[in-house]
Amino acid sequence: MAIRNICEALVLALLSAVAVWGALRVPDASPGETWAGIVPFGAAVALGIIAAISLLDALRNTHTETTGQSNQGARDVIILFIIAVLYQQSFSWFGYLLPTAIVAPLALYLFGVRSPAGLALSVVLCPLAFHVIFFMLLGVYPPYGEVFDLNEFIQG
């Protein structure tokens, strides 16, 4: 079990490094605007901190046997990371609104939200809340899709 925990922590550290690299590829902000990569960069650094804590904990507990425990957290983090990478990439194809409307209920489901009404509301409320926070309050320029952009479709 200890080897498995060490391997999971190392995988999380690798995912964090890839996420930091991806966040650093976000173009610099124009003068007076907030850098659009601040949230992905913060999440990637937080994942790195979690990986370091997990690795230290796994190394500290190499001699204690904990059979019967399931480490579902690492699996959930990896699934969330894959969702985040696909979400980030889909921005360039479909803009902001459509990917957020699709990913929000998936992420909420992963975190234990099972209410059909709550998941349905997240399709509308999450893009709206994030639009207000990032594009209106922080002044981040919204990404527009190359293939299809729901924002352009709504605006006409």
Side-chain angles (χ1 to χ4, degrees), residues 14-84:
L14 178 65
L15 291 175
S16 171
V18 170
V20 166
W21 174 77
L24 291 175
R25 295 191 51 175
V26 173
D28 292 335
S30 300
E33 291 186 359
T34 305
W35 179 49
I38 191 87
V39 173
F41 182 77
V45 169
L47 181 60
I49 292 169
I50 291 169
I53 292 169
S54 296
L55 182 60
L56 290 174
D57 187 48
L59 291 173
R60 184 175 42 238
N61 296 326
T62 55
H63 299 295
T64 58
E65 188 66 28
T66 56
T67 53
Q69 288 184 340
S70 173
N71 189 359
Q72 191 172 0
R75 180 193 66 124
D76 289 346
V77 168
I78 291 170
I79 291 170
L80 190 60
F81 177 78
I82 291 168
I83 290 171

XYZ file of all heavy atoms in Angstrom, residues 14-84:
512
model
N 3.612 15.005 -11.127
C 3.793 15.120 -12.573
C 2.646 15.894 -13.204
O 2.860 16.776 -14.053
C 3.916 13.730 -13.200
C 4.063 13.694 -14.716
C 5.375 14.335 -15.139
C 3.979 12.265 -15.225
N 1.422 15.590 -12.798
C 0.269 16.329 -13.305
C 0.373 17.812 -12.944
O 0.045 18.683 -13.761
C -1.032 15.750 -12.754
C -1.442 14.370 -13.247
C -2.680 13.886 -12.520
C -1.665 14.369 -14.743
N 0.852 18.105 -11.754
C 1.030 19.491 -11.338
C 2.050 20.190 -12.225
O 1.841 21.331 -12.647
C 1.482 19.547 -9.881
O 1.843 20.860 -9.525
N 3.151 19.519 -12.517
C 4.179 20.119 -13.374
C 3.633 20.399 -14.766
O 3.886 21.469 -15.344
C 5.403 19.196 -13.451
N 2.855 19.465 -15.311
C 2.252 19.669 -16.632
C 1.257 20.827 -16.587
O 1.200 21.662 -17.489
C 1.568 18.368 -17.128
C 0.728 18.625 -18.365
C 2.610 17.301 -17.402
N 0.496 20.905 -15.504
C -0.495 21.984 -15.363
C 0.187 23.344 -15.216
O -0.274 24.338 -15.777
C -1.407 21.709 -14.173
N 1.290 23.403 -14.467
C 2.045 24.665 -14.349
C 2.566 25.073 -15.718
O 2.459 26.236 -16.121
C 3.194 24.537 -13.319
C 4.172 25.698 -13.438
C 2.644 24.460 -11.910
N 3.117 24.120 -16.446
C 3.627 24.412 -17.793
C 2.510 24.937 -18.688
O 2.680 25.919 -19.412
C 4.253 23.151 -18.388
C 4.675 23.313 -19.808
C 5.775 23.952 -20.288
C 3.976 22.823 -20.956
N 5.800 23.888 -21.649
C 4.708 23.202 -22.087
C 2.800 22.102 -21.130
C 4.314 22.882 -23.379
C 2.410 21.775 -22.411
C 3.167 22.169 -23.514
N 1.349 24.300 -18.624
C 0.213 24.750 -19.433
C -0.253 26.136 -19.036
O -0.573 26.971 -19.887
N -0.291 26.417 -17.743
C -0.733 27.732 -17.274
C 0.251 28.817 -17.692
O -0.152 29.935 -18.033
C -0.899 27.728 -15.760
N 1.519 28.498 -17.682
C 2.521 29.490 -18.080
C 2.489 29.783 -19.580
O 3.070 30.763 -20.030
C 3.921 29.035 -17.652
C 4.151 29.041 -16.145
C 5.528 28.465 -15.812
C 3.990 30.433 -15.568
N 1.811 28.953 -20.347
C 1.667 29.186 -21.782
C 0.534 30.159 -22.103
O 0.382 30.571 -23.246
C 1.428 27.866 -22.503
C 2.660 26.945 -22.394
C 2.559 25.795 -23.271
N 2.227 26.281 -24.616
C 2.153 25.533 -25.676
N 2.373 24.270 -25.573
N 1.834 26.025 -26.843
N -0.268 30.517 -21.104
C -1.335 31.496 -21.309
C -0.682 32.844 -21.589
O 0.213 33.261 -20.855
C -2.257 31.585 -20.063
C -3.263 32.707 -20.209
C -2.947 30.249 -19.829
N -1.084 33.520 -22.649
C -0.449 34.800 -23.001
C -0.564 35.838 -21.885
O -1.503 35.817 -21.087
C -1.222 35.262 -24.242
C -1.934 34.064 -24.755
C -2.132 33.142 -23.591
N 0.409 36.733 -21.851
C 0.397 37.819 -20.873
C -0.827 38.695 -21.074
O -1.337 38.835 -22.183
C 1.659 38.668 -20.999
C 2.909 37.908 -20.575
O 2.780 36.965 -19.779
O 4.005 38.261 -21.050
N -1.255 39.297 -19.981
C -2.407 40.195 -20.032
C -1.992 41.541 -20.601
O -0.839 41.954 -20.501
C -2.983 40.387 -18.633
N -2.934 42.199 -21.206
C -2.707 43.559 -21.679
C -2.575 44.467 -20.462
O -3.076 44.152 -19.382
C -3.885 44.023 -22.543
O -4.045 43.175 -23.649
N -1.931 45.616 -20.633
C -1.813 46.539 -19.495
C -3.191 46.899 -18.924
O -4.118 47.200 -19.651
C -1.144 47.772 -20.105
C -0.404 47.245 -21.298
C -1.233 46.103 -21.816
N -3.297 46.797 -17.612
C -4.550 47.116 -16.944
C -5.500 45.945 -16.806
O -6.549 46.067 -16.191
N -5.163 44.788 -17.374
C -6.025 43.612 -17.287
C -5.385 42.568 -16.384
O -4.185 42.581 -16.149
C -6.272 43.004 -18.674
C -7.129 43.869 -19.571
C -7.465 43.171 -20.886
O -7.020 42.033 -21.094
O -8.180 43.779 -21.689
N -6.194 41.641 -15.896
C -5.710 40.546 -15.069
C -5.272 39.399 -15.973
O -5.944 39.082 -16.951
C -6.826 40.063 -14.122
O -7.292 41.178 -13.372
C -6.335 38.997 -13.181
N -4.158 38.769 -15.614
C -3.643 37.641 -16.392
C -4.627 36.491 -16.344
O -5.056 36.055 -15.273
C -2.284 37.224 -15.844
C -1.660 36.061 -16.545
C -1.501 35.891 -17.886
C -1.088 34.910 -15.927
N -0.867 34.705 -18.151
C -0.607 34.072 -16.961
C -0.940 34.498 -14.615
C 0.027 32.870 -16.715
C -0.314 33.296 -14.376
C 0.162 32.489 -15.413
N -5.045 35.986 -17.499
C -6.042 34.916 -17.577
C -5.523 33.591 -17.030
O -6.302 32.708 -16.696
C -6.505 34.734 -19.022
N -4.225 33.452 -16.901
C -3.657 32.203 -16.396
C -3.530 32.135 -14.894
O -3.023 31.148 -14.364
N -3.994 33.155 -14.189
C -3.816 33.192 -12.737
C -4.543 32.043 -12.036
O -4.008 31.420 -11.128
C -4.230 34.563 -12.152
C -3.800 34.682 -10.693
C -5.710 34.792 -12.242
C -2.431 35.178 -10.527
N -5.747 31.735 -12.458
C -6.507 30.658 -11.805
C -5.923 29.284 -12.150
O -5.685 28.479 -11.234
C -8.007 30.755 -12.157
C -8.772 29.557 -11.639
C -8.589 32.037 -11.586
N -5.638 28.974 -13.429
C -5.018 27.673 -13.701
C -3.650 27.529 -13.028
O -3.316 26.455 -12.541
C -4.875 27.629 -15.224
C -5.716 28.698 -15.752
C -5.961 29.679 -14.668
N -2.885 28.612 -12.973
C -1.583 28.555 -12.328
C -1.748 28.283 -10.827
O -1.042 27.441 -10.260
C -0.810 29.857 -12.554
C 0.567 29.852 -11.955
C 1.605 29.174 -12.569
C 0.810 30.508 -10.763
C 2.863 29.155 -12.012
C 2.071 30.505 -10.190
C 3.106 29.824 -10.817
N -2.682 28.975 -10.196
C -2.931 28.753 -8.775
C -3.384 27.327 -8.489
O -2.946 26.712 -7.516
N -4.255 26.808 -9.350
C -4.730 25.432 -9.173
C -3.582 24.435 -9.365
O -3.482 23.443 -8.632
C -5.857 25.136 -10.150
N -2.701 24.710 -10.325
C -1.570 23.816 -10.575
C -0.596 23.826 -9.402
O -0.096 22.771 -8.988
C -0.856 24.233 -11.860
N -0.348 24.998 -8.851
C 0.538 25.091 -7.686
C -0.103 24.396 -6.487
O 0.570 23.672 -5.736
C 0.880 26.565 -7.381
C 1.574 26.710 -6.048
C 1.752 27.142 -8.499
N -1.411 24.576 -6.305
C -2.109 23.905 -5.206
C -2.030 22.386 -5.368
O -1.822 21.666 -4.384
C -3.562 24.362 -5.150
N -2.163 21.906 -6.597
C -2.032 20.474 -6.848
C -0.624 20.006 -6.500
O -0.436 18.919 -5.944
C -2.376 20.147 -8.301
C -2.299 18.686 -8.711
C -3.262 17.843 -7.879
C -2.601 18.528 -10.189
N 0.381 20.826 -6.807
C 1.757 20.488 -6.450
C 1.945 20.408 -4.942
O 2.648 19.520 -4.436
N 1.325 21.325 -4.215
C 1.418 21.302 -2.750
C 0.744 20.046 -2.204
O 1.273 19.378 -1.308
C 0.802 22.585 -2.159
C 1.676 23.791 -2.526
C 0.628 22.469 -0.653
C 1.038 25.135 -2.225
N -0.417 19.705 -2.760
C -1.115 18.484 -2.337
C -0.252 17.259 -2.633
O -0.158 16.342 -1.816
C -2.486 18.374 -3.015
C -3.427 19.459 -2.480
C -3.090 16.986 -2.833
C -4.716 19.603 -3.260
N 0.405 17.246 -3.797
C 1.272 16.127 -4.157
C 2.443 16.016 -3.184
O 2.802 14.911 -2.758
C 1.782 16.295 -5.584
N 3.038 17.153 -2.809
C 4.157 17.135 -1.870
C 3.717 16.628 -0.499
O 4.413 15.805 0.121
C 4.762 18.535 -1.759
N 2.559 17.097 -0.038
C 2.042 16.638 1.255
C 1.733 15.137 1.194
O 2.066 14.386 2.124
C 0.794 17.441 1.661
C 1.188 18.886 1.975
C 0.085 16.798 2.848
C 0.009 19.829 2.138
N 1.146 14.687 0.097
C 0.830 13.264 -0.056
C 2.095 12.424 -0.090
O 2.150 11.336 0.499
C 0.025 13.025 -1.332
O -1.215 13.664 -1.268
N 3.123 12.924 -0.773
C 4.382 12.191 -0.856
C 5.047 12.110 0.512
O 5.521 11.034 0.920
C 5.315 12.848 -1.874
C 6.651 12.144 -2.099
C 6.430 10.716 -2.595
C 7.504 12.920 -3.079
N 5.077 13.219 1.232
C 5.667 13.202 2.576
C 4.901 12.253 3.493
O 5.506 11.495 4.265
C 5.687 14.608 3.164
C 6.675 15.582 2.516
C 6.480 16.984 3.091
C 8.094 15.101 2.700
N 3.583 12.273 3.414
C 2.764 11.382 4.227
C 3.010 9.923 3.848
O 3.113 9.061 4.720
C 1.289 11.744 4.062
C 0.395 10.969 5.004
O 0.719 10.903 6.211
O -0.630 10.432 4.534
N 3.121 9.643 2.560
C 3.362 8.268 2.109
C 4.735 7.781 2.542
O 4.896 6.633 2.959
C 3.222 8.172 0.592
N 5.737 8.663 2.468
C 7.084 8.278 2.893
C 7.147 8.077 4.405
O 7.860 7.195 4.899
C 8.095 9.331 2.455
C 8.345 9.416 0.950
C 9.227 10.605 0.624
C 8.950 8.125 0.432
N 6.407 8.876 5.147
C 6.396 8.767 6.610
C 5.693 7.470 7.045
O 6.051 6.880 8.047
C 5.697 9.971 7.216
C 5.717 9.999 8.719
C 5.122 11.244 9.331
N 3.897 11.681 8.682
C 3.722 12.890 8.135
N 4.692 13.775 8.160
N 2.581 13.210 7.577
N 4.723 7.031 6.267
C 3.942 5.855 6.638
C 4.328 4.612 5.855
O 3.506 3.724 5.659
C 2.446 6.139 6.447
C 1.951 7.217 7.365
O 2.408 7.342 8.489
N 1.009 8.015 6.879
N 5.577 4.497 5.429
C 5.992 3.324 4.654
C 5.991 2.056 5.487
O 5.831 0.967 4.957
C 7.392 3.525 4.044
O 8.305 3.859 5.089
C 7.382 4.573 2.968
N 6.145 2.180 6.802
C 6.221 0.991 7.638
C 4.883 0.594 8.262
O 4.769 -0.482 8.816
C 7.264 1.196 8.749
C 8.625 1.444 8.207
N 9.326 0.506 7.498
C 9.418 2.538 8.238
C 10.490 0.987 7.136
N 10.565 2.234 7.570
N 3.905 1.457 8.169
C 2.604 1.110 8.734
C 1.732 0.523 7.640
O 1.651 1.065 6.535
C 1.912 2.346 9.336
O 1.766 3.337 8.339
C 2.709 2.886 10.510
N 1.120 -0.570 7.933
C 0.262 -1.256 6.963
C -1.175 -0.806 7.161
O -1.723 -0.917 8.245
C 0.359 -2.773 7.162
C -0.329 -3.578 6.093
C 0.303 -3.444 4.723
O 1.512 -3.196 4.640
O -0.418 -3.574 3.732
N -1.792 -0.298 6.111
C -3.180 0.165 6.189
C -3.992 -0.565 5.130
O -4.361 0.001 4.122
C -3.265 1.687 5.969
O -2.653 1.988 4.719
C -2.583 2.443 7.079
N -4.231 -1.820 5.378
C -5.016 -2.590 4.420
C -6.487 -2.266 4.589
O -6.951 -1.919 5.659
C -4.803 -4.103 4.632
O -5.053 -4.395 5.994
C -3.404 -4.514 4.236
N -7.201 -2.381 3.497
C -8.632 -2.155 3.531
C -9.038 -0.725 3.246
O -10.203 -0.457 3.066
N -8.078 0.198 3.227
C -8.416 1.587 2.932
C -8.325 1.818 1.429
O -7.408 1.350 0.769
C -7.470 2.552 3.642
C -7.679 2.628 5.123
C -6.771 3.674 5.742
O -5.772 4.067 5.160
N -7.139 4.127 6.918
N -9.262 2.558 0.924
C -9.277 2.887 -0.495
C -8.917 4.361 -0.667
O -9.489 5.216 -0.014
C -10.665 2.616 -1.078
O -10.725 3.082 -2.397
N -7.971 4.620 -1.522
C -7.566 6.002 -1.766
C -8.239 6.477 -3.045
O -7.657 6.458 -4.114
C -6.043 6.104 -1.873
C -5.591 7.540 -1.905
O -6.398 8.456 -1.865
N -4.290 7.734 -1.974
N -9.475 6.890 -2.899
C -10.257 7.334 -4.039
C -9.938 8.789 -4.378
O -10.214 9.235 -5.482
C -11.742 7.179 -3.737
C -12.626 7.364 -4.933
C -14.067 7.018 -4.609
O -14.401 6.642 -3.511
N -14.922 7.152 -5.597
N -9.334 9.511 -3.448
C -9.019 10.919 -3.668
C -8.077 11.131 -4.845
O -8.285 12.030 -5.659
N -7.045 10.314 -4.938
C -6.086 10.465 -6.040
C -6.765 10.200 -7.383
O -6.514 10.904 -8.363
C -4.906 9.518 -5.844
N -7.635 9.204 -7.407
C -8.361 8.917 -8.648
C -9.234 10.099 -9.049
O -9.277 10.493 -10.212
C -9.231 7.672 -8.466
C -10.028 7.304 -9.720
C -11.079 6.297 -9.374
N -12.043 6.939 -8.483
C -13.348 7.014 -8.727
N -13.842 6.461 -9.795
N -14.153 7.628 -7.888
N -9.914 10.695 -8.073
C -10.765 11.845 -8.355
C -9.961 13.044 -8.840
O -10.392 13.771 -9.727
C -11.585 12.226 -7.128
C -12.671 11.212 -6.815
O -12.959 10.357 -7.677
O -13.218 11.271 -5.700
N -8.773 13.252 -8.259
C -7.916 14.357 -8.693
C -7.458 14.139 -10.126
O -7.447 15.074 -10.933
C -6.711 14.530 -7.739
C -5.666 15.458 -8.329
C -7.173 15.044 -6.398
N -7.114 12.921 -10.469
C -6.677 12.629 -11.842
C -7.826 12.829 -12.818
O -7.652 13.424 -13.888
C -6.082 11.201 -11.926
C -4.760 11.162 -11.155
C -5.883 10.778 -13.374
C -4.196 9.780 -10.953
N -9.017 12.371 -12.452
C -10.183 12.585 -13.317
C -10.466 14.071 -13.466
O -10.715 14.567 -14.575
C -11.420 11.841 -12.764
C -11.232 10.329 -12.896
C -12.694 12.282 -13.475
C -12.289 9.507 -12.176
N -10.395 14.801 -12.363
C -10.620 16.251 -12.416
C -9.560 16.942 -13.267
O -9.860 17.875 -14.015
C -10.647 16.833 -11.001
C -11.087 18.269 -10.875
C -12.507 18.455 -11.399
C -10.992 18.729 -9.427
N -8.324 16.476 -13.187
C -7.256 17.045 -14.007
C -7.533 16.822 -15.494
O -7.373 17.740 -16.309
C -5.904 16.435 -13.630
C -4.777 16.933 -14.479
C -4.218 18.179 -14.253
C -4.279 16.168 -15.515
C -3.193 18.650 -15.036
C -3.256 16.629 -16.304
C -2.695 17.874 -16.070
N -7.966 15.632 -15.853
C -8.278 15.338 -17.261
C -9.434 16.221 -17.731
O -9.387 16.783 -18.836
C -8.598 13.834 -17.436
C -7.332 13.007 -17.218
C -9.194 13.562 -18.814
C -7.576 11.520 -17.090
N -10.456 16.375 -16.881
C -11.570 17.256 -17.222
C -11.067 18.686 -17.418
O -11.460 19.372 -18.365
C -12.674 17.194 -16.146
C -13.380 15.842 -16.186
C -13.685 18.324 -16.324
C -14.333 15.601 -15.023
N -10.172 19.137 -16.538
C -9.650 20.507 -16.623
C -8.842 20.728 -17.891
O -8.952 21.785 -18.534
C -8.801 20.826 -15.396
